[in-house]
């Protein structure tokens, strides 16, 4: 009881279950002790009602007794130092918290009244990259400088440093509640490759990773090609990036493919699927194309095309002129003679949705759980990748599959999933709800037919918004995809209001994740707190430090200097560290 009084005395009341979790009085799983079953569309298909059942798991980390800033962007942010050309990073001032009142007026004294409902971490758009994969589109850089990133060989080291940061957090920065789980909101992999999926799962659940494919002894990709349009870190080539100030780093590529170790997250984690997880290159519905699969695992890689050819291919992708990848297939065949030889590797094969589910269900990748990381054998049987789970006594989470396997990088959902979403919310109308997806409401514009469900209607983001607006206890829709921090209020005609929280990618600067806290202010309002966190890597780099930690620091600094990279440092202040106020539904 002394812990509870201390928390209240510090102005941060803790929900009873959070106190019990902190003292080890309850076992946690799938959030805080419960999972919804069944967890996919079979419930809707069979006409079953959604129920909650107890489940076993691990103890939550002890909750701090007061708000804190250490390890978050409230304390410090990696910031470019003075100078021009290649910019070095250093410690910068933290970002203040902004109170947003578009959906409800904040009432004075709420900090002393509030109790925590739940707290979790969102990771999104990790884009774990097999940088030597034969089907990568690096050559589009001849027409668009953004099409290839000089730091792409370091996504594994960077993601491990993010896991290390999350593990070091003492709890939720504002309420002091334990962190109940982490959720990845899609584009966990970059190119629908089995090698990338294996690395991602080991990063999240723990293990040793050699971020290399092909020749086990050396790197075979665009960064040792001698081509001046790519940064050649080890070579004497005066490439375009070095002309812009990029360093010469002896031993960089050898270090980049060296074995590393991830501790795995020390809290339960869940997975949401994105278009780069479902579609090769994130845009082509080319599963079953034997030629593309042969190229993926084979010994030839295209590294250079003319600017005109690159521009034409990029236009086809952006304007969805070739969602099935037919023209892309022909494009690669026409360039067969200009491809370079690389070492074949079966691990680079594309994975199917069923293989994606099986990999998550593999006990080798369980970590601290839950088994399947949200997915279940019922998902595998039904061919679905959406589910619901209980976060706490008062809150459920719903993970949607907004990818369209018909092709193109924008999203939508089918009628069966839309009906399941409505039913799940109705069956749990006594609980608050947080929705997770990869795509944002504005990027769900792809109504292309799903080849796995021919004839089923697809629904856009506006239809999903309208459905959510009819459920007054929906608090938030949390997503990614756009690689920007954007927080949007939604006051819907159906009477509901909620916040859409879109978080930037961890592959692009400034490489952030988000802690999200839900708190009842005990005055007719609820506050959602969002706090951005960086990886554990030092802000300052040392070009001679090619250790795992040194490479993670370089990953951040190189991403800042990638040609065309955003200099907005995480977006507008109102979209970064926030308090988002809502009326209680």
């Amino acid at each position: 009881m002394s812990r509870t009084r201390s928390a209240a005395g510090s102005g941060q009341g803790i929900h009873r279950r959070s106190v019990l979790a902190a003292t080890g009085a309850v076992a946690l799983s799938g959030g805080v002790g419960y999972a919804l079953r069944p967890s996919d569309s079979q419930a809707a298909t069979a006409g079953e009602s959604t129920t909650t059942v107890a489940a076993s798991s691990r103890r939550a980390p002890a909750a701090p007794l007061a708000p804190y800033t250490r390890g978050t962007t409230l304390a410090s942010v990696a910031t470019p130092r003075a100078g021009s050309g290649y910019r070095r990073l250093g410690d910068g001032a933290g970002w203040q918290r902004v109170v947003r009142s578009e959906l409800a007026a904040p009432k004075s004294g709420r900090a002393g009244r509030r109790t925590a409902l739940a707290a979790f971490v969102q990771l999104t758009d990790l884009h774990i990259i097999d940088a030597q994969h034969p089907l990568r589109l690096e050559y589009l850089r001849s027409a668009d400088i953004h099409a290839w990133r000089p730091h792409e060989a370091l996504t594994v080291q960077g993601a491990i440093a993010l896991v290390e940061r999350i593990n070091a957090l003492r709890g939720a920065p504002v309420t002091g509640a334990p962190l109940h789980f982490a959720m990845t909101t899609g584009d966990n992999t970059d190119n629908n490759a089995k090698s990338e999926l294996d690395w991602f799962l080991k990063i999240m659940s723990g293990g040793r990773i050699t971020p290399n494919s092909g020749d086990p002894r050396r790197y075979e990709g665009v960064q040792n090609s001698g081509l001046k349009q790519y940064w050649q870190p080890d070579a004497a080539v005066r490439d375009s990036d070095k002309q812009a100030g990029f360093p010469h780093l002896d031993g960089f590529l050898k270090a980049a493919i060296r074995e590393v170790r991830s501790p795995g997250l020390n809290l339960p984690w869940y997975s949401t699927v994105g278009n780069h997880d479902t579609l090769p290159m994130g845009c082509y519905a080319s599963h079953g194309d034997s030629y593309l699969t042969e190229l993926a695992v084979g010994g030839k890689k295209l590294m250079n095309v003319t600017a005109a050819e690159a521009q034409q291919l990029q236009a086809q992708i952006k304007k969805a002129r070739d969602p099935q990848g037919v023209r892309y297939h022909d494009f690669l065949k026409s360039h067969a003679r200009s491809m370079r030889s690389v070492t074949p590797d079966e691990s680079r094969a594309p994975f199917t949705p069923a293989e994606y589910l099986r990999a998550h269900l593999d006990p080798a990748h369980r970590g601290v759980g839950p088994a399947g990381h949200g997915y279940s054998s019922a998902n595998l049987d039904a061919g679905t990748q959406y589910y619901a789970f209980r976060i706490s006594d008062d809150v459920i989470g719903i993970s949607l599959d907004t990818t369209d396997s018909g092709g193109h990088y924008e999203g939508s959902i089918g009628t069966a999933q839309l009906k399941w979403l409505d039913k799940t919310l109705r069956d749990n109308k006594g609980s608050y709800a947080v929705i997770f997806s990869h795509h944002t409401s504005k990027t769900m514009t792809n109504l292309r037919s799903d080849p796995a469900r021919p004839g089923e209607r697809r629904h856009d983001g506006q239809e999903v918004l309208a459905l959510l607006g009819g459920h007054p206890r929906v608090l938030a829709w949390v997503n990614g995809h756009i690689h920007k921090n954007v927080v949007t209020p939604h006051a819907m005609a159906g009477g509901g209001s909620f916040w859409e929280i879109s978080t930037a990618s961890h592959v692009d600067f400034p490489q952030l994740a988000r802690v999200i806290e839900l708190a009842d202010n005990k005055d007719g309002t609820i506050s959602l707190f969002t706090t951005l966190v960086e990886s554990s890597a030092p802000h300052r780099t040392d070009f001679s430090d090619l250790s795992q930690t040194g490479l993670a620091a370089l990953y951040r600094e190189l991403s800042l200097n990638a040609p065309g990279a955003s200099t907005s440092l995480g977006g507008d202040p109102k979209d970064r560290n926030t308090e988002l106020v809502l009326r209680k539904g």
Side-chain angles (χ1 to χ4, degrees):
M1 294 302 292
S2 61
R3 291 176 63 88
T4 309
R5 285 195 296 270
S6 296
S10 69
Q12 304 298 326
I14 305 294
H15 187 275
R16 177 178 178 272
R17 178 165 285 275
S18 294
V19 174
L20 292 173
T23 59
V26 293
L28 305 185
S29 174
V32 191
Y34 301 94
L36 297 183
R37 291 290 185 267
S39 61
D40 60 27
S41 63
Q42 282 195 328
T45 303
E48 301 173 5
S49 62
T50 305
T51 58
T52 59
V53 296
S56 62
S57 183
R58 59 187 294 280
R59 199 162 93 179
L65 300 181
Y68 74 100
T69 62
R70 184 178 177 184
T72 75
T73 57
L74 292 163
S76 179
V77 180
T79 304
R81 290 184 265 169
S84 58
Y86 183 92
R87 293 161 294 174
R88 306 305 299 274
L89 283 172
D91 297 334
W95 294 330
Q96 294 184 337
R97 193 175 301 284
V98 176
V99 179
R100 295 189 55 175
S101 56
E102 294 100 312
L103 297 179
K107 299 180 181 180
S108 61
R110 64 192 182 282
R113 292 187 299 268
R114 69 172 57 110
T115 58
L117 298 172
F120 59 90
V121 182
Q122 179 204 10
L123 303 84
T124 194
D125 296 83
L126 291 173
H127 285 278
I128 302 303
I129 294 174
D130 181 345
Q132 302 169 75
H133 196 288
L135 289 186
R136 294 196 57 73
L137 302 171
E138 298 109 332
Y139 45 78
L140 293 181
R141 200 185 201 207
S142 61
D144 180 359
I145 201 67
H146 301 86
W148 175 77
R149 307 174 183 91
H151 55 285
E152 288 184 350
L154 302 180
T155 55
V156 169
Q157 293 87 345
I160 291 173
L162 184 61
V163 167
E164 291 172 342
R165 167 62 67 211
I166 294 167
N167 287 349
L169 294 174
R170 295 190 299 157
V174 176
T175 62
L179 294 174
H180 296 142
F181 66 98
M183 170 65 82
T184 70
T185 50
D187 284 3
N188 307 310
T189 64
D190 188 72
N191 199 19
N192 181 240
K194 290 181 179 178
S195 53
E196 296 170 344
L197 180 58
D198 178 67
W199 301 346
F200 161 71
L201 291 168
K202 288 177 179 175
I203 289 166
M204 298 295 287
S205 288
R208 295 189 177 276
I209 305 155
T210 301
N212 182 33
S213 63
D215 190 332
R217 300 162 299 176
R218 65 189 183 96
Y219 170 95
E220 299 177 300
V222 297
Q223 286 190 274
N224 68 349
S225 65
L227 294 168
K228 292 185 177 180
Q229 73 186 52
Y230 308 110
W231 178 44
Q232 308 291 300
D234 298 87
V237 177
R238 184 70 174 162
D239 58 69
S240 60
D241 292 297
K242 285 178 184 164
Q243 292 176 33
F246 270 67
H248 176 92
L249 299 177
D250 284 323
F252 176 86
L253 292 175
K254 183 178 180 180
I257 63 173
R258 189 171 53 219
E259 183 185 81
V260 293
R261 181 187 177 279
S262 173
L265 284 168
N266 64 5
L267 69 163
W269 68 272
Y270 291 80
S271 187
T272 295
V273 68
N275 56 292
H276 279 264
D277 304 312
T278 299
L279 308 172
M281 280 67 72
C283 58
Y284 290 128
S286 56
H287 285 298
D289 187 312
S290 59
Y291 178 70
L292 293 181
T293 299
E294 288 170 9
L295 277 182
V297 302
K300 294 293 182 180
K301 178 175 173 64
L302 184 61
M303 298 189 187
N304 193 32
V305 301
T306 67
E309 290 171 317
Q311 190 171 26
Q312 183 179 32
L313 179 60
Q314 188 176 52
Q316 290 174 2
I317 293 171
K318 287 187 173 181
K319 297 180 181 180
R321 293 174 180 164
D322 185 30
Q324 301 296 320
V326 175
R327 294 181 186 178
Y328 176 60
H329 174 134
D330 294 340
F331 170 83
L332 290 175
K333 275 200 165 183
S334 70
H335 287 82
R337 294 195 175 193
S338 58
M339 293 181 180
R340 299 194 180 193
S341 294
V342 296
T343 303
D345 191 338
E346 290 290 331
S347 76
R348 293 166 171 163
F351 54 82
T352 65
E355 289 171 328
Y356 185 74
L357 291 172
R358 289 192 191 101
H360 281 76
L361 289 161
D362 187 338
H365 298 137
R366 177 165 182 166
V368 298
H373 304 290
Y375 301 119
S376 69
S377 58
N379 284 117
L380 197 56
D381 293 341
T384 60
Q385 295 186 96
Y386 48 89
Y387 60 89
F389 63 105
R390 184 153 293 279
I391 295 173
S392 70
D393 279 350
D394 305 308
V395 187
I396 64 166
I398 299 175
S399 172
L400 301 179
D401 173 10
T402 56
T403 64
D404 190 329
S405 60
H408 193 43
Y409 51 81
E410 305 293 39
S412 59
I413 64 174
T415 297
Q417 186 175 181
L418 191 74
K419 289 181 177 178
W420 170 87
L421 172 61
D422 185 46
K423 184 178 188 301
T424 301
L425 289 169
R426 284 189 285 106
D427 287 348
N428 292 274
K429 61 185 177 181
S431 296
Y432 295 113
V434 178
I435 313 301
F436 299 94
S437 72
H438 178 62
H439 292 88
T440 67
S441 60
K442 288 185 178 179
T443 56
M444 289 179 63
T445 57
N446 179 17
L447 302 182
R448 197 164 276 101
S449 175
D450 180 353
R453 294 170 176 78
E456 182 186 45
R457 186 185 162 208
R458 303 291 294 184
H459 302 267
D460 64 17
Q462 294 304 306
E463 291 179 271
V464 176
L465 284 174
L467 186 152
L468 297 179
H471 294 276
R473 291 174 74 84
V474 171
L475 301 181
W477 182 358
V478 179
N479 49 45
H481 186 62
I482 57 176
H483 292 213
K484 297 178 182 177
N485 290 315
V486 179
V487 178
T488 306
H490 291 293
M492 306 306 298
S497 63
F498 56 91
W499 292 91
E500 184 172 357
I501 302 169
S502 307
T503 301
S505 168
H506 197 253
V507 77
D508 292 320
F509 190 81
Q511 300 178 337
L512 304 169
R514 242 193 242 270
V515 178
I516 299 175
E517 305 171 65
L518 316 177
D520 185 344
N521 293 322
K522 301 298 183 182
D523 58 10
T525 67
I526 285 175
S527 287
L528 282 64
F529 297 96
T530 73
T531 306
L532 293 164
V533 296
E534 300 175 296
S535 80
S536 65
H539 291 165
R540 291 177 181 263
T541 60
D542 177 350
F543 288 155
S544 66
D545 181 5
L546 299 181
S547 66
Q548 180 175 331
T549 298
L551 291 175
L554 273 172
Y555 180 59
R556 182 193 287 126
E557 187 172 278
L558 292 171
S559 73
L560 166 72
N561 287 281
S566 172
T567 57
S568 62
L569 294 176
D572 192 279
K574 67 181 177 59
D575 300 312
R576 298 190 307 215
N577 298 331
T578 67
E579 179 185 357
L580 312 173
V581 187
L582 278 170
R583 291 188 302 274
K584 286 182 72 171

